[in-house]
């Protein structure tokens, strides 16, 4: 009887072991969004488990880069921050979602245009689907600017006006305009880009650094430093957060998601003193965002289920709103944009209905081409700006040196 009983149990155990499990690799806070969506997934597929493997942001992307290059420990679904989609664009590690059986290009009308287009590489391959975006915004302290006799209209006409307002602000209140002069350079070099245009390289990998766009960015950043308008603190550092809490840092050039970060942990005590505006000169840019991709060499037997899970996470209006409300994950799904939730006032912003502002920005952001050497270019240009700010190097010489170095790497 014991033997018979054991034999009868074997088929059940075999079935338990054979249960399909999908692996999703994610970083915070996307990992929480995926986990929150699992009850909806289990209703569809009670026999398909989902394991979420979460790592800190940098560790996650390092692990994904290694997995794609070695085809070892590949998840079924990979979450990527927006810039990494571009970095992987010329490789062959991600499945082309434009091809059958995915036919992902049919989904184009359902997403914010720039977010969808940035996932398409030069080979017209669709490498991922967007889930959340980060429309750029200007956060500013109304109380500090009021002390200086300034308002939003003094900040937004141009980047020069923004810096000039900072000079008046510093004289009246002692507060810094921005955390670091590099921040001004980072946003100004993104101003005025045409759809599909690259930041550092054009479509033929020609270097764009020696151009009026970069000269202007360097000149404005130098003016910020010369007038001591930057606190010279690194974003996300303790000093950076403390400057917001104490009211010694009056603006932030950031993504819409930053309002939630400020309200929840960076500087909750400053609630009601902040407002947001479109970036100066009506500059419409993206500050990050998240995507879901399928590794090309992941388990083929799980591919159909993995694609179904990606569609659930990106196309389900209810789940998109749940992520928006719980994690400030601004949705990439256009079907959400008509919801009254966008009209609700935000207490941290003194009741401002800021989501309508960000919704307008999201519709007007243009897709930019991300080059495989963009990370390297960031470092090179940032180092040359440091040479200008800290060592007095002439701007023309700094940009010429940056261009020469980038030209050596452009086609690698």
């Amino acid at each position: 009887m014991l033997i018979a009983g054991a034999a009868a149990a074997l088929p059940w155990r075999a079935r338990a072991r054979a249960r399909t499990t999908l692996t999703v690799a994610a970083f915070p806070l996307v990992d929480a969004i995926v986990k929150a969506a699992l009850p909806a997934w289990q209703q569809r597929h009670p026999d398909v488990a989902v394991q979420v493997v979460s790592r800190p942001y940098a560790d996650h992307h390092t692990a994904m880069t290694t997995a794609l290059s070695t085809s070892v420990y590949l998840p079924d679904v990979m979450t990527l921050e927006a810039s990494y989609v571009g970095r992987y664009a010329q490789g062959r590690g991600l499945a082309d979602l434009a091809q059958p059986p995915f036919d992902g290009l049919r989904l184009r009308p359902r997403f914010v245009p720039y977010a969808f287009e940035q996932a398409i590489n030069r080979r017209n391959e669709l490498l991922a689907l967007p889930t959340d975006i980060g429309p750029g915004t200007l956060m500013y302290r109304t109380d500090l600017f009021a002390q200086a006799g300034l308002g939003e209209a003094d900040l937004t006409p141009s980047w020069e006006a923004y810096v000039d307002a900072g000079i008046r602000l510093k004289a009246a209140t002692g507060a810094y305009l921005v955390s670091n002069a590099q921040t001004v350079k980072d946003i100004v070099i993104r101003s005025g880009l045409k759809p599909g245009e690259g930041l550092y390289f054009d479509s033929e990998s020609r270097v764009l650094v020696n151009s009026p766009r970069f000269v202007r960015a360097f000149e404005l950043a130098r003016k910020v430093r010369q007038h001591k308008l930057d606190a010279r603190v690194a974003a996300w550092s303790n000093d950076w957060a403390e400057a917001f809490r104490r009211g010694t840092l009056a603006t932030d050039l950031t993504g819409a998601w930053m309002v939630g970060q400020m309200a929840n942990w960076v500087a909750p005590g400053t609630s009601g003193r902040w407002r947001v505006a479109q970036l100066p000169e009506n500059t419409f840019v993206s500050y990050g965002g998240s995507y879901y991709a399928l590794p090309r060499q992941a388990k083929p037997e799980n591919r159909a289920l993995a694609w179904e899970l990606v569609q659930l996470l990106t196309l389900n209006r209810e789940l998109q709103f749940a992520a928006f409300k719980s994690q400030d994950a601004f949705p990439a799904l256009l079907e959400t944009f008509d919801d009254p939730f966008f009209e609700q006032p935000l207490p941290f912003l003194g009741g401002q209905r800021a989501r309508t502002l960000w919704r307008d920005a999201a519709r007007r952001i243009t897709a930019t081409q991300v080059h495989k050497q963009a990370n390297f270019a960031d470092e090179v240009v940032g180092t040359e700006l440091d040479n200008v700010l800290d060592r007095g190097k002439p701007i023309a010489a700094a940009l010429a040196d940056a261009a020469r170095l980038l030209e050596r790497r452009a086609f690698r």
Side-chain angles (χ1 to χ4, degrees):
M1 292 295 293
L2 179 61
I3 293 174
L10 283 176
W12 179 87
R13 289 176 181 166
R15 285 196 300 273
R17 284 196 298 271
R19 187 187 187 203
T20 301
T21 299
L22 296 180
T23 302
V24 179
F27 55 91
L29 300 162
V30 185
D31 55 355
I33 292 170
V34 175
K35 290 175 183 177
L38 293 186
W41 173 258
Q42 292 301 323
Q43 286 182 358
R44 295 184 179 196
H45 294 285
D47 57 335
V48 180
V50 176
Q51 179 186 12
V52 180
V53 179
S54 181
R55 300 179 181 90
Y57 175 86
D59 294 344
H60 166 80
H61 287 98
T62 298
M64 294 305 98
T65 300
T66 302
L68 288 174
S69 63
T70 62
S71 297
V72 176
Y73 298 120
L74 284 168
D76 296 296
V77 177
M78 178 182 291
T79 67
L80 296 172
E81 194 274 332
S83 64
Y84 282 87
V85 177
R87 291 175 210 177
Y88 298 153
Q90 303 313 312
R92 299 283 183 175
L94 300 178
D96 178 10
L97 304 180
Q99 297 300 315
F102 313 111
D103 296 318
L105 293 179
R106 64 187 164 79
L107 302 174
R108 180 186 259 130
R110 301 183 66 178
F111 291 101
V112 172
Y114 89 86
F116 192 88
E117 298 305 319
Q118 286 193 179
I120 299 175
N121 66 12
R122 295 177 192 172
R123 298 186 294 266
N124 208 36
E125 296 169 339
L126 176 64
L127 302 180
L129 285 188
T131 181
D132 62 71
I133 58 176
T137 195
L138 167 64
M139 292 185 66
Y140 65 97
R141 281 279 298 257
T142 54
D143 55 339
L144 294 176
F145 281 99
Q147 288 179 44
L150 298 166
E152 183 178 309
D154 299 294
L155 289 166
T156 57
S158 68
W159 288 107
E160 286 77 11
Y162 171 73
V163 174
D164 289 342
I167 294 172
R168 294 171 60 186
L169 171 84
K170 185 73 183 295
T173 69
Y176 296 104
L177 177 68
V178 69
S179 59
N180 196 291
Q182 289 275 0
T183 304
V184 175
K185 175 266 295 179
D186 289 341
I187 181 63
V188 175
I189 62 173
R190 287 163 170 78
S191 301
L193 287 177
K194 299 178 179 64
E197 188 177 1
L199 185 59
Y200 300 109
F201 305 90
D202 69 10
S203 60
E204 303 301 323
S205 286
R206 289 184 290 259
V207 177
L208 303 174
V209 167
N210 245 334
S211 68
R213 176 161 51 94
F214 281 83
V215 171
R216 184 189 185 205
F218 270 50
E219 287 176 345
L220 284 165
R222 183 173 62 184
K223 187 173 181 180
V224 166
R225 179 60 55 82
Q226 287 173 339
H227 288 273
K228 299 180 180 179
L229 306 183
D230 64 326
R232 304 183 72 166
V233 295
W236 307 106
S237 67
N238 288 335
D239 289 341
W240 171 84
E242 193 60 27
F244 282 126
R245 292 175 191 136
R246 293 187 177 185
T248 57
L249 190 48
T251 78
D252 197 20
L253 307 168
T254 185
W257 42 263
M258 186 61 190
V259 171
Q261 298 290 318
M262 291 280 282
N264 293 326
W265 72 272
V266 176
T270 63
S271 180
R273 301 173 192 171
W274 291 91
R275 299 293 184 275
V276 297
Q278 300 292 17
L279 292 163
E281 290 183 6
N282 275 332
T283 300
F284 299 105
V285 297
S286 169
Y287 279 81
S290 305
Y291 288 76
Y292 295 107
L294 304 182
R296 190 183 294 271
Q297 298 299 324
K299 296 176 183 177
E301 62 270 25
N302 288 355
R303 181 59 51 82
L305 286 167
W307 175 233
E308 186 179 344
L309 178 58
V310 167
Q311 291 179 91
L312 176 69
L313 291 167
T314 57
L315 298 173
N316 185 290
R317 180 186 171 107
E318 266 186 45
L319 294 179
Q320 285 277 296
F321 260 110
F324 195 9
K325 292 175 181 178
S326 65
Q327 306 295 343
D328 285 303
F330 200 97
L333 187 67
L334 285 172
E335 294 156 31
T336 64
F337 277 26
D338 62 353
D339 195 276
F341 182 68
F342 282 88
E343 306 285 343
Q344 290 183 8
L346 299 180
F348 186 79
L349 299 177
Q352 184 180 6
R353 290 173 168 81
R355 296 188 188 102
T356 59
L357 194 81
W358 301 328
R359 181 175 61 189
D360 182 51
R363 287 176 168 142
R364 300 173 69 177
I365 297 170
T366 58
T368 56
Q369 186 183 92
V370 181
H371 195 275
K372 61 184 177 181
Q373 296 290 357
N375 247 21
F376 178 67
D378 276 337
E379 294 178 14
V380 170
V381 172
T383 298
E384 286 299 338
L385 180 57
D386 279 338
N387 289 336
V388 171
L389 299 179
D390 301 331
R391 299 170 187 86
K393 187 173 183 177
I395 289 175
L399 291 175
D401 287 347
R404 276 192 291 271
L405 189 52
L406 295 182
E407 282 162 2
R408 295 177 202 157
R409 290 284 292 266
F411 295 98
R412 288 190 186 179

